[in-house]
Every structure is written in structure tokens, then in C-alpha cells.
Amino acid sequence: MSMDMGKPGTAGRAPGTEQPPDADPDAVPDAGVRTPAAGDRHRLTALQGLAALSLDAMASVAYGPESVVLVLAAAGAHGMGFTLPVTLAIAALLAVLVASYRQVIAAFPDGGGAYAVAKRHLGRRTSLVAAASLILDYVLNVAVSVTAGVAALTSAFPGLYGERVWICLGILVLVTAVNLRGVVESAKAFLVPTAVFVGSILAMVVVGLLRDGPVSTASAAGHPSALGEGATTVGALLLLKAFAAGCSALTGVEAVANAVPSFRAPAARRAQRTEVALGALLGVMLIGLSILIGRFHLQPVEGVTVLAQLADASFGHNAAFYVVQFATMVLLALAANTSFGGLPVLMSLLARDNHLPHVFALKADRQVHRHGVIWLALVSALLLVLSGGDTNTLVPLFAIGVFIGFTICQVGMVRHWYGERPRGWRAKAALNGFGALLTGVSAVVVTATRFTGGAWLIVVALPLLVLGFEKVHRAYTEIGERLELGRIPQAPRRSRSLVVVPVSGLSRLTSQALTAARSLGDDVLAVTVTHPSPEDREAAEALRRDWELWKPGVELVELASETRSLGRPLSAYVRELAQKHQDAQVTVLIPETEPAHLWQRLLQNQRGSVVAHAVRRDTDAAICRLRFRITADTR
């Protein structure tokens, strides 16, 4: 207890190694010359960070442009002409976000992204809203990514449709297992699929730009068009909806800033490089795909993705077409890895600040926040089962949280520049303010347009999650006050010690328990619980007779119990002792055997656990569990 509850003293502070607010972006705090730490081999390089933390953003090019096209298609061919302008606006917002998060990384090298920014500049409550929104988005990202990847698989192999839930859970188990081995292991495992996907998309854009027209339209043949008819004008509301829908391609941009501690030293500089590389690749792919949509006069059709039509038009219906489809399917399924890289780090920061149980701040040997990984996997598995593995059930809930986080982070950075006022702060603040306006409007539009489709669940879940954070924080505050954390305690003093040893018979275990008890305490009492049944009465008389013959120098106290309860009579006796001897420290020493083989533990009666639970529940006595190991050479 003392080890865990010592955490709030350090957890109450903001990330302690944050860089000064006016620090130069390139002069990151860990950029100096240093000897590589032993744990660095379990941290990410910039390239590995791109594979581990950008899969969500990379995979979003499979549905981001399509979201824009489907909205604009309502205005017919005239509306499709606005695909490139809307995409350019999204790319401009992407540039703003990348520049902003690059500054966030420099100012907050402990990670946390929007949460860390809001905590310093917008207050604790706002930071909790940012954290809650990011947690919801990360969890939904896992479910949406896995179901989208499986949907692509079942589209190619319809016979697997009935098993889609089990396939989803299988992929989730795979991604979870890889991440439990460490973030570097996940980066190595997913580096090749990421490279194949990015390479195939860039090759498709280059080849498509060299074409005068589509090579093939076989994938769309026979499918009804989703293009609207009769529209001659495109209203501002439609463009706004298209922009908000296309901004789903920006989910995952914040993951690098949230997981800065996962990078090798200099962590902040490597994270900045990863953020810029992610933004550049994502922007090129989004703009390139939108140009191809206009170049090939693509029309959305039911049952075929826009990306599939573009691959068909650029490469033809050949092996290259299937490479793009397969790479897209794999990357969509593995895009869940972004959440496994970012969410556990965010949860560890919340735990350090006493808003989540401290167990989420613990790290395993491979720098893995194992409890965060497992929690994310379990909640995501529940979502997959409840949704039946259906992407359309989850999509209405997706991307709302990340827009909220974007907006809070941008507003916080405006406060950051206004408070510190470094050189050129007005331009930087204006850039962040413009970004906050765009993401804020997008958040409102996406929530309003998807509210009846399930987005109301996010609106309800967000404040509930914040209330949960507050409740955990109050609990830790109360515990800290009771423990007087942060104060100099009274000097320790020695008090009289009274040790109680539960016994049920004479054995070598009994002898070792009494020996240990006499070493620990000034006074030792052996206690046995008796029952009125004839066989129990005979056993009690035999124990009393053997005790008198043995003469261990320790009094044997018999506690009569009308029922066969063991823990309650013993805890009641210990409570009476504590009241009678208020100047003494009462300790209950529970002797137990530990078998040589794991399976032999099933043969034990678990009386020690029953007694320990009862004493812990009903008294303030100290509990000591003495293990007697059974080995092959024990005589």
C-alpha cells in the first residue's frame, strides 16, 4: 500500500520534464549528447514511429476522399467538381495541425498532446475533456479499423461474411499480442505493410497522372451510380459537410504528440520528424487522389470503393490492382495499432495526475504500458461483439472525439503563444486560431449530421468519462490527505507487538510459524477455531492434548463457532485484542504451504486466503503470510 500510494505526491504535478514554453522547437531538452540508455532499444526511431503511430492516418486515405465524394455526389457532376478544392482545404488544415503538433512536441516532450496543452493553458477540467475525447476516439479507432479491414476481406471472399466477428477478434488478438511485446516490435512487424501501402498509393498517383484517361472501369461495371441528378449549384452547407466528412482523414495526426516518450533520445526531435513525415505523406496522397478523381471523372458507385476505382483506372484490372486492394485491406486492419501506441501513454499521464488508477502508469520490461494495452483490447473487443463486426454501426461515432481534441489543443496553443510571446508569436497564434476555428466548426458539423445515427452516444459518454476522472482524483486526494502525503511524518517508534497465529494441527509448518512469530513479536498467541460437531470436537480435544505434550511455550486459544465459519470468529477475536491492547501492534501471521508444482495448488484448501480476507476486511491488524516451500528434498 505504501508503495502505490506514494505516487500521488509526484502524480499531482504536471509532466515534470516539460520544456519551457518559449523553447526553440529544435532545441529540445533531450537533444544533447548522451550515452544511449539501455531501454532505448525498446523505443522508436523516426521511421519506426511512422510505422507504429501513423497507420490510422495513412489508412484514412482509403475512406477520407471517398467521404468527400459521397457528400458532393448529392449535387451531381457539378458537385464533383469541388472535390479538389475541398481536399486542398483539408490539406491546408493538415498543414496547420502538423505545424501545431510539432510545437506541441517541443513544448511537451512528456507526451499527452491536447491533454498536456490544455492542462497547462486551459485548466484541469478542459484537459480532462480533451483526454476523454481522445480516449473515446482511440477506442473507436480500433473497432472501426478492424471492422473496415475485415469488410474489405469479406468483400473479396463473401463466404467469410458470417464469421466476420471472429475474424475481427482474431485480428485484435494479433495486434494486442504484438504490442504486448513492445512498441518497437509492433513497428517492426507493421513496417513492411505500411511501406507497401504508401508505395502502392504513390505509384498509383504517379501512373494515373501520366494517363490520358482511365485504363479500366471493370470494377465499377454493373454497379448503380450514387451520383445525384438535376443539381446546378453547390451550397455552402454542402461544402461544409463535405469538408467535415473528409476531415476523417486527419484522425491519427495527434498520435505522435501523444506518444513522445515512446521514441528514442532525442525523443522530441525524432517525434517532430515523424510528425512532419506523416503530414507530408498524407497530404501528397490526399491531394494526388483528389486530382485523379477529377482527371478520370470518377463517379461513386454502390459496392465499390473510390480507391478501388482509382486503382482500376490507373493500373488496369490486373495484379497491381489487387496489390492496392490487399495492401489497403491489411493496413485498415492494422490501423488499430495507432491506438495501441498512443492511448496507453495518454492513460499513463492521466494515472500520474491521479485521474486514472496508478496501475496504468506502470511499465513492463519492454517499455510497455501493459495494463493500458490490455484495457484497450478488452473494451475494443466488447465494441466489436456489440456491433456485430459492422463498420457502418461504428462509423457515426468515429472522429468526433478527435475533432474536439484538435480544437482544444489549438486553443491551448493560442494561449501558449499569447502568454509567452516569443518572436513571431502573432503569426503562430493566428495560425493556431484559424486551425481551432476550422476544427471547431468541423466538430459541430460532424456531431450535428451524425447525431441521430449514434453520435449522441459520444455526447453522453464524454461527460460521464470526465466525471469518472474526477471521482478517481477525489479518491486519491482523500487517500493522500489521510496518509499526509507531502508532509513530514512523526518519527517512528517501537510499540509492543502481539502476534496471532491461526493453527489447525501440529506439524513442521506450525513449528516454523511459531518460531517466526516469536522472532517478530513480544507476545505470541496460537488460535484455533472449534465447532460443536462430534468429529470436530474430537479433533479439538486431540489438538489440545498434543499441545500440552509439545509445550511450545505459546498459549493455545480456542474460539468456539456455532457455524463452520473460520474467518469471522478469528477476525472478531483479533478486533477484541486490538481494543484491549491499544498500545500494541497486532499482527496475524498466517502459515501456508507452497507446493513444488503449480497444479498442486489446486489441492490446497485456501484457508489462508479466507483468514487473510476476513482480517483485512474487519480489522486494522497487520497481515503476514508465511510461505513454507515444499521441495523434493524436504524431510
Side-chain angles (χ1 to χ4, degrees):
M1 183 69 173
S2 61
M3 292 178 64
D4 182 60
M5 298 322 301
K7 293 289 185 181
T10 57
R13 57 176 169 78
T17 57
E18 291 173 358
Q19 188 177 349
D22 57 346
D24 182 80
D26 295 323
V28 291
D30 51 1
V33 177
R34 61 186 290 268
T35 302
D40 269 3
R41 64 190 181 92
H42 297 304
R43 291 189 170 94
L44 299 167
T45 63
L47 183 61
Q48 290 171 341
L50 199 61
L53 300 171
S54 69
L55 295 184
D56 177 20
M58 293 294 186
S60 65
V61 303
Y63 51 80
E66 184 161 8
S67 299
V68 174
V69 167
L70 290 175
V71 173
L72 294 177
H78 186 65
M80 293 294 295
F82 287 86
T83 301
L84 182 57
V86 170
T87 304
L88 289 175
I90 294 171
L93 177 57
L94 172 64
V96 172
L97 291 174
V98 168
S100 176
Y101 276 107
R102 188 175 181 275
Q103 299 297 331
V104 170
I105 291 168
F108 299 88
D110 275 355
Y115 169 69
V117 174
K119 180 184 173 184
R120 177 186 286 182
H121 297 295
L122 301 177
R124 187 173 62 88
R125 184 64 59 83
T126 304
S127 72
L128 294 181
V129 173
S133 66
L134 288 173
I135 286 176
L136 292 173
D137 182 70
Y138 275 136
V139 172
L140 286 167
N141 173 59
V142 173
V144 170
S145 299
V146 171
T147 55
V150 172
L153 177 65
T154 56
S155 296
F157 303 98
L160 298 175
Y161 185 79
E163 306 299 327
R164 64 189 184 280
V165 174
W166 290 109
I167 299 174
C168 286
L169 293 176
I171 293 174
L172 179 61
V173 169
L174 172 65
V175 175
T176 303
V178 172
N179 278 276
L180 285 174
R181 289 188 56 80
V183 66
V184 171
E185 296 300 323
S186 70
K188 291 177 180 178
F190 303 146
L191 187 58
V192 172
T194 305
V196 171
F197 176 79
V198 173
S200 63
I201 296 297
L202 293 178
M204 182 177 69
V205 171
V206 172
V207 172
L209 290 175
L210 298 176
R211 303 288 191 191
D212 294 328
V215 176
S216 170
T217 58
S219 61
H223 293 269
S225 174
L227 200 65
E229 297 180 358
T232 58
T233 59
V234 177
L237 181 59
L238 185 67
L239 292 176
L240 201 59
K241 289 177 64 176
F243 174 80
C247 280
S248 60
L250 303 181
T251 57
V253 172
E254 79 291 345
V256 177
N258 289 336
V260 178
S262 298
F263 285 84
R264 292 182 186 178
R269 182 171 294 176
R270 291 183 188 273
Q272 286 178 324
R273 292 171 181 168
T274 302
E275 186 74 54
V276 172
L278 168 60
L281 285 173
L282 185 57
V284 168
M285 289 191 290
L286 288 175
I287 295 174
L289 292 177
S290 67
I291 292 175
L292 292 186
I293 290 171
R295 187 179 184 86
F296 295 141
H297 304 289
L298 182 143
Q299 296 183 6
V301 298
E302 297 179 7
V304 181
T305 64
V306 168
L307 196 63
Q309 292 186 65
L310 290 176
D312 204 10
S314 295
F315 293 129
H317 210 72
N318 50 28
F321 169 82
Y322 287 102
V323 168
V324 174
Q325 294 305 103
F326 182 75
T328 303
M329 177 193 70
V330 172
L331 206 73
L332 277 170
L334 298 181
N337 193 68
T338 296
S339 295
F340 283 96
L343 181 57
V345 176
L346 175 62
M347 294 178 72
S348 73
L349 294 179
L350 286 166
R352 282 174 47 188
D353 293 340
N354 297 335
H355 296 300
L356 281 179
H358 289 165
V359 69
F360 288 111
L362 300 179
K363 277 187 179 181
D365 292 339
R366 293 174 175 265
Q367 302 297 319
V368 181
H369 295 285
R370 193 163 289 171
H371 295 279
V373 170
I374 293 174
W375 179 88
L376 175 58
L378 292 176
V379 176
S380 301
L382 180 62
L383 276 179
L384 290 172
V385 172
L386 293 178
S387 67
D390 182 25
T391 307
N392 293 328
T393 303
L394 297 167
V395 164
L397 311 178
F398 190 48
I400 296 174
V402 75
F403 281 128
I404 295 173
F406 282 161
T407 305
I408 291 175
C409 186
Q410 296 284 324
V411 173
M413 289 307 292
V414 171
R415 292 286 301 272
H416 171 82
W417 299 127
Y418 185 78
E420 302 303 324
R421 302 193 180 190
R423 180 180 300 177
W425 70 271
R426 287 186 175 85
K428 296 176 180 179
L431 188 64
N432 291 133
F434 181 62
L437 176 64
L438 292 180
T439 54
V441 170
S442 298
V444 173
V445 172
V446 172
T447 304
T449 55
R450 297 179 177 180
F451 189 82
T452 56
W456 62 270
L457 287 171
I458 301 299
V459 177
V460 172
L462 196 62
L464 290 178
L465 201 52
V466 172
L467 289 175
F469 293 153
E470 294 282 20
K471 188 173 182 63
V472 171
H473 190 270
R474 283 196 298 270
Y476 275 127
T477 300
E478 292 174 1
I479 293 171
E481 290 176 353
R482 292 291 301 275
L483 294 178
E484 297 183 355
L485 293 176
R487 307 176 193 172
I488 299 177
Q490 294 180 352
R493 58 185 177 83
R494 189 186 186 283
S495 60
R496 177 168 162 261
S497 179
L498 177 59
V499 183
V500 176
V501 183
V503 298
S504 58
L506 295 187
S507 66
R508 184 176 174 182
L509 177 62
T510 309
S511 175
Q512 287 206 355
L514 293 180
T515 299
R518 297 187 71 172
S519 301
L520 293 173
D522 299 310
D523 298 301
V524 178
L525 293 173
V527 178
T528 185
V529 179
T530 62
H531 306 288
S533 61
E535 62 272 18
D536 289 330
R537 190 162 50 247
E538 292 178 5
E541 292 173 355
L543 175 60
R544 189 184 309 115
R545 183 174 56 254
D546 292 341
W547 197 272
E548 292 174 354
L549 292 173
W550 185 33
K551 297 180 179 178
V554 175
E555 180 185 354
L556 177 65
V557 179
E558 297 183 20
L559 303 177
S561 175
E562 296 298 325
T563 65
R564 302 201 64 83
S565 174
L566 179 65
R568 290 186 182 279
L570 190 59
S571 64
Y573 177 71
V574 171
R575 193 165 55 245
E576 291 176 5
L577 279 178
Q579 293 174 353
K580 185 177 180 181
H581 304 278
Q582 295 185 4
D583 60 334
Q585 170 63 57
V586 180
T587 301
V588 179
L589 188 146
I590 305 171
E592 298 174 295
T593 58
E594 185 169 315
H597 303 288
L598 184 63
W599 68 269
Q600 291 176 336
R601 296 183 184 182
L602 299 174
L603 308 178
Q604 296 177 289
N605 56 27
Q606 305 301 324
R607 286 185 177 181
S609 298
V610 172
V611 171
H613 175 72
V615 172
R616 182 180 295 110
R617 180 192 60 206
D618 300 332
T619 76
D620 293 327
I623 298 174
C624 177
R625 301 181 75 166
L626 177 68
R627 302 281 183 170
F628 181 77
R629 298 181 184 275
I630 306 296
T631 58
D633 60 347
T634 299
R635 297 292 187 265

